[in-house]
Amino acid sequence: AEYYYAELVANITAPANGVDIMGGSEFTVTANVTNNGTGYAQDVKATIAISGNATLKTGQVATKTVATQLPAVNGTGQVSWILVCTGAGTVGINVTPSGIEPNTLNPITPDKIHPATVSVNQKKILEVTILTPADLTAFNVTDEFPVTARVENVSSLNATDVTLTISIDRYAT
């Protein structure tokens, strides 16, 4: 007798691996779960695990249902979560599928479960605008002039111990 089995493969379609995300913002993680087996899978779920400075948005749950039944040979379902960046740094995101083997009514065995992982980089973002002098203002070689700059934190993460360094080119000192 031929044995039919389910084999689940997760694929995180968003965000892309290595992408930069503004600290403090929300972002969506989307994953496909595909059954590469020769038999259908029952009660297919996907569970997200997060390492680093991010958390599930309030009201989100880590384990979500992908499909009550996922057909064999490339049957695919999709699920997503909303995460919130809570600090700067790298965040690891892992999505692991699970399901029931219809022949045995037992969980699909670990050798037939293939998780997916991506990492994103959360950034604190500061924007600097030089207010004075105006762009292309001319000065004599011996003139002293004030420089005024505005620093704006455009992420929702606190920025502490901010230091500005001015670089002057074109013969100025």
Side-chain angles (χ1 to χ4, degrees):
E2 192 170 336
Y3 174 67
Y4 292 95
Y5 63 92
E7 183 164 359
L8 300 178
V9 178
N11 178 34
I12 298 171
T13 59
N17 191 49
V19 74
D20 291 340
I21 294 175
M22 186 182 302
S25 65
E26 294 181 1
F27 64 99
T28 300
V29 174
T30 303
N32 291 336
V33 175
T34 301
N35 181 2
N36 286 345
T38 57
Y40 71 91
Q42 291 179 197
D43 193 25
V44 178
K45 298 184 184 327
T47 301
I48 191 169
I50 306 158
S51 62
N53 292 325
T55 186
L56 288 169
K57 183 178 178 180
T58 302
Q60 295 280 301
V61 293
T63 300
K64 294 193 173 186
T65 297
V66 176
T68 54
Q69 185 171 312
L70 204 55
V73 192
N74 297 324
T76 300
Q78 189 175 78
V79 66
S80 62
W81 298 264
I82 300 172
L83 275 60
V84 180
C85 296
T86 58
T90 300
V91 174
I93 301 165
N94 178 278
V95 174
T96 302
S98 62
I100 300 297
E101 181 68 63
N103 295 320
T104 63
L105 299 180
N106 290 324
I108 297 170
T109 57
D111 63 314
K112 302 262 190 285
I113 296 291
H114 306 280
T117 301
V118 297
S119 293
V120 297
N121 305 306
Q122 297 180 97
K123 301 289 187 182
K124 292 181 181 181
I125 300 175
L126 301 176
E127 286 185 355
V128 179
T129 306
I130 295 178
L131 303 174
T132 61
D135 198 21
L136 302 177
T137 300
F139 295 98
N140 289 321
V141 172
T142 58
D143 288 352
E144 290 185 14
F145 59 91
V147 175
T148 306
R150 181 181 70 232
V151 179
E152 182 180 3
N153 181 355
V154 296
S155 73
S156 62
L157 300 175
N158 290 330
T160 56
D161 298 322
V162 175
T163 302
L164 293 180
T165 302
I166 190 168
S167 296
I168 301 171
D169 63 5
R170 301 290 307 215
Y171 312 108
T173 57

